[in-house]
Every structure is written in structure tokens, then in C-alpha cells.
Amino acid sequence: MLLKLGLIGHPVGHSMSPWIHGKLLDQQNLQGSYELFDLEPEEFDQQIQSPEIKKLDGFNVTVPFKEKIIPYLAGLDETAKEMGAVNTVKNTSEGWIGYNTDGTGFADSLTNDYPDSLKGNTRILLLGSGGASRGIFHALAKKEVAAIDIANRTTQRAIDIIQEGSQKIKSTVLTLDEASEHLSKYDVVIQTTTVGMSPNDDQLIIPVDHLTKGTIVSDIVYRPMKTRFLQEAKKRGARLHFGHQMLLQQAVYSFKIWTETEPDASALLEEFEKKLKGV
Ligand code: ATR
């Protein structure tokens, strides 16, 4: 069988997904393709129903369509419903079913690296309140950690994330200045904004002078692989977790949904790192 997979978004030109899914197809001895579909936001309604998209067996959804896709779906899995956002669609006999693997991809890539990172006494700080932060918040809230606080430039967006969750997790909203000041209170700090993303490699979301040695610091930005935030954190003795690990894990989970195979993310990690470094 020839599997037809793809990604819809705008823009999609720099996506690593075709490379990752090409490798996963090979790893599982499956024949198929993974194509990019750059849809015009103003023409989404027509383009999403085009024959090229309809004939896909499954596809990923990225910015800015993760919410817009929902009216076209025949069903949503529990996580996607809870988050109100979809990053994976499977074409079934009942129609398109939507899933969201972003948050679990992050949480599992973190515990793969640091098995002790999400415990009952773990205090987490999320920096940022966009779609990525929301997905991570929902996934971590299921882990019964002690607290997940959110800091954002626009604090109202952080309040929205905390209020929409049905979880009983303890959460406080902070300004970015407060977050910087209180960094020593946290066991895990996760940078989810676009700050520091290439070509703005010099940008730093907050100063990390108050970071305690041994804190786990994660940045979901993967270009560059070691952001300025991670570099500064490393100088203060932090244990690092990288954005490309999340990217790979969420892709593997999408692939599992489409193919019902058990792909191995770790087997691809080294090759993916070389690819990102351009070697
Ligand atoms: P996505 O849905 O892809 O996560 P987004 O909704 O645009 O993207 O969210 C981007 C995040 O980066 C937000 O938390 C944003 O802060 P605001 O909510 O205040 O806009 C944050 N962000 C982007 N540029 C920033 C900057 N220069 N300084 C601080 N935060 C920034």
C-alpha cells in the first residue's frame, strides 16, 4: 500500500516533517510520501476540501490552522477536544479524526531524557502563552506535579490557559520580570515562545541569573538547536532539554496514529541532530 501523508500550514517551507516522516516510513518498511501543502489562510475553506488533501491517508496541521481545521472533522480524540487544537488528522471510513500529539510529545521527550523530571513535588514554570504553551500545559497538568506557573509578556493570555483547564493543578500567573526574579523556585523551566529563534539567535526571553544548579531547562525552539536561553542556563549549571527532541517525539506519535506501527524515535535522534546542524 502507498501511504499518502502531508502537512498543511502557512508557511510550511522550512518544515523538518518531510525528512522525519520519510525516515519513519523507511524504518517501518512502508512505501509512501509526505508532502507539504501551503494553504492560503483566506482560502482555507476551499483549499482544505481540495482533492489533493482529501486523498491523504493522514496529515499534520500547523500554524495557523490548528483550530480552523476542527469544523471539518468527523471526530476529535479527548486531548484534542480538551485543547481545542489539532495537529494530526487521520482519514478513516467515518471521515477525518483529529488528534493532538504536541503536549504528550513534549512530556514524553522530557521524561525520556530525565525520568525523574515530573514528580509529585515538581514545580514547573512555563514561559509563553501561545499554542505550544497551551499544549504543554494540558499534557503536564495530567502528570500530578506540584505546580505549573505561567509567565507571559501579555499576562491575560496566561490567565486564559489556566482558566480553561478543568485540571485541579495549582497555577500562578507571573510577569516575565517576576519569572526571572523567582527562577530559583522551579525544578523545570520551559521556554515556549518564539524568542531566540533563528535569525534572532541573540534574543533572550528572560535573564537567568537566579537559576539554581541542576534545574531542568527546556526550550522548544530548535533552530538554533542550542538557543541563547539554553546556553545561558548551561553556564548556571542547568540540565538541558532541546526543542528538536519534542519535535521528533510528536512526529513519531502522529506516525503511530496513521500507521499503527511502533516507530522508534531514539534510533533517529542522532541522525536528526546531524541534519539540523547541517552536517
Ligand atoms: P504559537 O501559537 O505558535 O505558540 P503565538 O500564539 O504567536 O504562537 O505565541 C507566541 C508566544 O511568544 C507568546 O507567548 C508571545 O507573547 P504574547 O502572548 O505577549 O504575544 C511570545 N512572544 C513572541 N515574541 C515575544 C517577545 N519579543 N517578547 C516576549 N514574548 C514574546
Side-chain angles (χ1 to χ4, degrees):
M1 193 181 84
L2 206 62
L3 263 175
K4 293 191 79 62
L5 305 173
L7 168 69
I8 65 163
H10 181 78
V12 291
H14 293 292
S15 171
M16 292 306 297
S17 296
W19 186 90
I20 297 174
H21 289 287
K23 292 286 173 187
L24 292 173
L25 286 166
D26 288 348
Q27 192 191 74
Q28 298 302 315
N29 285 318
L30 295 170
Q31 298 287 318
S33 60
Y34 187 100
E35 282 180 55
L36 298 176
F37 297 90
D38 194 335
L39 308 188
E40 284 302 322
E42 308 82 62
E43 289 165 36
F44 182 77
D45 292 343
Q46 300 89 314
Q47 293 186 348
I48 190 64
Q49 301 184 77
S50 67
E52 300 88 73
I53 311 267
K54 289 261 157 144
K55 71 182 177 203
L56 295 173
D57 298 297
F59 56 94
N60 285 124
V61 184
T62 190
V63 187
F65 303 130
K66 288 185 181 187
E67 285 137 33
K68 263 191 155 173
I69 187 74
I70 293 176
Y72 300 91
L73 304 176
L76 281 178
D77 93 322
E78 208 182 306
T79 311
K81 196 183 289 176
E82 220 176 81
M83 288 175 47
V86 164
N87 82 329
T88 305
V89 173
K90 183 173 185 172
N91 197 352
T92 74
S93 53
E94 276 118 66
W96 285 345
I97 308 294
Y99 302 82
N100 198 311
T101 67
D102 285 335
T104 44
F106 176 84
D108 292 351
S109 73
L110 184 69
T111 49
N112 282 345
D113 250 13
Y114 301 107
D116 64 340
S117 55
L118 302 175
K119 294 183 301 190
N121 59 353
T122 304
R123 299 184 58 87
I124 300 175
L125 175 65
L126 280 180
L127 301 171
S129 302
S133 170
R134 172 176 278 112
I136 292 170
F137 180 84
H138 279 273
L140 295 180
K142 293 205 177 88
K143 300 285 181 183
E144 294 181 11
V145 292
I148 310 174
D149 294 348
I150 311 184
N152 195 41
R153 179 177 61 181
T154 315
T155 45
Q156 184 56 47
R157 295 186 78 195
I159 294 170
D160 292 346
I161 292 181
I162 285 171
Q163 287 184 342
E164 78 198 7
S166 52
Q167 308 83 0
K168 290 192 192 75
I169 194 85
K170 196 174 163 300
S171 296
T172 305
V173 168
L174 309 171
T175 64
L176 291 175
D177 285 344
E178 287 167 343
S180 180
E181 191 66 26
H182 296 293
L183 270 184
S184 63
K185 283 194 349 203
Y186 297 96
D187 308 293
V188 179
V189 178
I190 307 159
Q191 199 301 108
T192 74
T193 77
T194 48
V195 176
M197 190 184 283
S198 179
N200 302 310
D201 303 35
D202 283 352
Q203 289 180 344
L204 183 66
I205 183 80
I206 53 169
V208 296
D209 311 275
H210 295 285
L211 203 60
T212 317
K213 194 171 171 214
T215 305
I216 295 171
V217 176
S218 178
D219 196 329
I220 71 157
V221 170
Y222 61 89
R223 275 199 188 98
M225 203 150 73
K226 197 169 181 182
T227 59
R228 180 159 170 226
F229 187 64
L230 290 182
Q231 291 174 32
E232 302 280 333
K234 183 73 186 170
K235 287 184 203 155
R236 308 214 60 91
R239 296 183 285 165
L240 305 186
H241 176 253
F242 295 85
H244 69 277
Q245 296 170 306
M246 170 195 181
L247 181 69
L248 192 57
Q249 194 63 58
Q250 60 82 21
V252 162
Y253 287 156
S254 297
F255 192 86
K256 266 173 92 161
I257 289 168
W258 298 323
T259 61
E260 288 160 31
T261 58
E262 290 293 329
D264 178 7
S266 60
L268 266 188
L269 188 60
E270 207 175 312
E271 208 181 338
F272 188 40
E273 287 172 356
K274 282 190 183 151
K275 170 85 183 160
L276 283 172
K277 285 180 190 155
V279 283

